[in-house]
Amino acid sequence: MKTVKSILIPALMLTALSASMVQAGPLADLYRMALANDPQLKAAEATFMAGQEVGAQTRSALLPRADFQASTALIDSDTRDVDNSLGYSLSLSQPLYSAANWHTYKRGEVLAEQASVRFDLAQQQLILRSIEAYLNSLRAMSRLDNARAQERAVQRRLDQVNAQFEVGLIAITDVQDAQASYDNAVVQRIDAESALENSYESLQRLSGQTFTQVQPLREDYPIEPPVPADPAPWLEKALTGNLSIRMSDLTFDAARRDTRSKQAEHYPTVSLQAQHENTRLNGGAQTPRGWNDETRLSLTLAVPLSRGGFTSSAQRQAEQEQLAAMFNREDAMRGATEAIRSLLRTLQNSVQSVQAREQSILSRQTALNATEEGFNVGTRNVVDVLLAEQRLFEAQLEYAEARFNHILALFQFKQQVGTLSPEDLFALDEWLQSEG
């Protein structure tokens, strides 16, 4: 039942998204297309389906095995006048006791569950990749808007100093400084245009569709820290919700089952066999003719004695792999702990950082106004004005970058805790400005 539900998850999500696309925004639209077209998710789904077969394969060792054979042979003998023989056999074998097969079967169940969790992780990563790709396009668009605004501002400044130079109010060096600043602004705008086009390529790779624009984030999007501020509750939630930790748990469990299976290779096995054979000899007058039927029912006890050290070596190998899995599990837990603590601290600090950068814009604007006044009365030169303008644009860009960094860190935090879901993406989608 669990396997069927896991298979239906992508289809159900696509159906739900399609039904709500009338009201959905651009980010939800991107996610819907990614669900249908992202090759990484498709590969993960195929890997998941392949992993579900492991359980069936290991279970088969506990079930009856039936074989049918048919043969014909030509016989040349000095003592018997026989030309050929025909025959067939039908055999049935049922393991009654095999500890190795049992532990292998239980390991197969763990591996099938691990494949399911790996697919869940791939779906969760698709959410994060969709958000990150869209935010990267928003970053690029913000940089381009900033570069264009700076180019227009420097162009106005260049026109101003050219007019002042023509009437002899300023020196040629001021014109040259303004021209150099304008040339640099043009280069920055060209680079920003290229970066935005590159970000659209990332969206196309994810969705399989062409993108030519993205909708900006509303200015009133709330920049808030996670609550509570104490990392302890988040770490406790991650122990059961973090999919990477869950994967490492299952890897250790599978290694433990494999060790038991290799240990059980030293144990005896008991099996029941039933076989029916039917042969016919065709030959000369001295050879009996007709079919010869024979049925056998046997109970077999097999005790392994020696395989040249292979069984013991395989057991030692499995024990070391179990030890490695145990340490990898510990590392996964420590890594999640580190990530959660760091991201929580980053989110708490970024709230103050965004507020400070917003205030910095006001301060830079005030400084620019004062510098312009000084330029108009002759106490400041055009270089001072250009520098003040540049610092204002830098402050605006840093403010936008800080907001995007906070949002991305928030979703990374949700993934580490194990709570990231499509609903989080839809919630962010509602804060994107609609067209028009």
Side-chain angles (χ1 to χ4, degrees), residues 149-195:
Q150 187 170 0
E151 181 182 4
R152 290 192 298 268
V154 177
Q155 176 68 66
R156 288 193 299 269
R157 193 68 61 189
L158 178 60
D159 294 340
Q160 179 185 10
V161 295
N162 274 324
Q164 292 176 331
F165 173 73
E166 289 177 358
V167 297
L169 295 178
I170 60 174
I172 187 61
T173 55
D174 288 336
V175 177
Q176 294 171 340
D177 288 332
Q179 183 65 51
S181 295
Y182 175 74
D183 294 339
N184 184 64
V186 171
V187 171
Q188 291 181 350
R189 187 257 304 163
I190 294 174
D191 290 343
E193 289 174 342
S194 178

Side-chain angles (χ1 to χ4, degrees), residues 86-280:
L86 299 173
Y88 69 89
S89 66
L90 180 64
S91 62
L92 180 67
S93 176
Q94 171 62 58
L96 299 181
Y97 174 77
S98 175
N101 288 351
W102 171 255
H103 289 299
T104 299
Y105 162 64
K106 300 303 289 184
R107 177 175 180 266
E109 287 187 327
V110 174
L111 293 177
E113 184 179 359
Q114 186 182 58
S116 179
V117 174
R118 184 180 292 111
F119 185 43
D120 291 340
L121 180 59
Q123 294 179 77
Q124 196 178 73
Q125 288 173 338
L126 178 64
I127 298 172
L128 188 60
R129 287 191 291 121
S130 298
I131 293 172
E132 185 172 7
Y134 199 91
L135 287 177
N136 285 339
S137 290
L138 290 182
R139 291 177 193 271
M141 186 175 67
S142 176
R143 292 167 185 165
L144 178 58
D145 291 343
N146 185 276
R148 286 172 173 171
Q150 187 170 0
E151 181 182 4
R152 290 192 298 268
V154 177
Q155 176 68 66
R156 288 193 299 269
R157 193 68 61 189
L158 178 60
D159 294 340
Q160 179 185 10
V161 295
N162 274 324
Q164 292 176 331
F165 173 73
E166 289 177 358
V167 297
L169 295 178
I170 60 174
I172 187 61
T173 55
D174 288 336
V175 177
Q176 294 171 340
D177 288 332
Q179 183 65 51
S181 295
Y182 175 74
D183 294 339
N184 184 64
V186 171
V187 171
Q188 291 181 350
R189 187 257 304 163
I190 294 174
D191 290 343
E193 289 174 342
S194 178
L196 180 59
E197 291 298 324
N198 290 340
S199 73
Y200 289 156
E201 293 294 336
S202 298
L203 295 178
Q204 181 174 352
R205 175 185 176 183
L206 190 67
S207 65
Q209 303 294 326
T210 301
F211 276 76
T212 58
Q213 63 178 355
V214 289
Q215 301 304 316
L217 184 70
R218 285 164 44 185
E219 285 296 328
D220 57 342
Y221 177 85
I223 303 297
E224 300 172 344
V227 178
D230 182 12
W234 301 111
L235 293 173
E236 183 177 356
K237 184 176 292 187
L239 291 178
T240 56
N242 184 287
L243 294 181
S244 295
I245 293 179
R246 179 61 180 154
M247 281 286 296
S248 65
D249 289 339
L250 291 171
T251 300
F252 173 76
D253 194 14
R256 181 175 59 85
R257 292 286 183 180
D258 188 48
T259 299
R260 291 186 178 182
S261 175
K262 295 300 190 295
Q263 291 172 343
E265 294 287 346
H266 294 284
Y267 305 160
T269 61
V270 180
S271 60
L272 179 67
Q273 290 93 22
Q275 184 172 18
H276 174 75
E277 293 183 356
N278 198 329
T279 58
R280 180 176 181 177

